[in-house]
Amino acid sequence: MSKLIKCSKCQTWNENQDYCTNCNHLLSLDIEREQELEKLNEEEQQRPLTKFANYLLKLKHSDHPVDRVKYAVLNSAWLLFLLFVAGLIALVALAPG
């Protein structure tokens, strides 16, 4: 079964094409989404890290054992906080009434 798509730029009908045969305009929504995702990923990689993220990265890759312990404590504290929140949600969900 053939799929007809009308080009929004030149109004030409195209059959089973990703690009317009007349003006080479992009017709495929799948390709357009992939290009947008690639663009967002590139922008995210170029975005500078926050001060806290840089600090954690320095602690993680530090040669000093004290800094590595700081990193482990901060990482564990975050994990404990998330477990506490998950426990509260479970208590609320299981509470009668």
Side-chain angles (χ1 to χ4, degrees), residues 42-57:
E42 287 175 7
E43 289 175 0
E44 185 176 325
Q45 289 175 354
Q46 292 175 355
R47 186 179 314 141
L49 295 175
T50 63
K51 289 181 181 179
F52 187 67
N54 277 333
Y55 178 68
L56 284 179
L57 199 58

Side-chain angles (χ1 to χ4, degrees), residues 78-92:
W78 178 245
L79 180 64
L80 289 174
F81 173 73
L82 289 177
L83 286 173
F84 176 74
V85 170
L88 286 178
I89 291 172
L91 281 175
V92 169

Side-chain angles (χ1 to χ4, degrees), residues 12-69:
T12 303
W13 287 96
N14 297 279
E15 186 174 351
N16 295 330
Q17 299 290 324
D18 290 333
Y19 291 90
C20 178
T21 55
N22 189 30
C23 67
N24 206 28
H25 182 69
L26 180 64
L27 300 174
S28 173
L29 293 176
D30 293 334
I31 295 175
E32 185 177 354
R33 285 188 201 120
E34 287 176 13
Q35 289 175 350
E36 288 175 6
L37 282 174
E38 288 175 4
K39 183 180 176 185
L40 288 174
N41 287 337
E42 287 175 7
E43 289 175 0
E44 185 176 325
Q45 289 175 354
Q46 292 175 355
R47 186 179 314 141
L49 295 175
T50 63
K51 289 181 181 179
F52 187 67
N54 277 333
Y55 178 68
L56 284 179
L57 199 58
K58 286 178 185 177
L59 287 179
K60 182 178 181 181
H61 298 293
S62 176
D63 292 333
H64 300 288
V66 174
D67 288 340
R68 294 223 175 178
V69 169

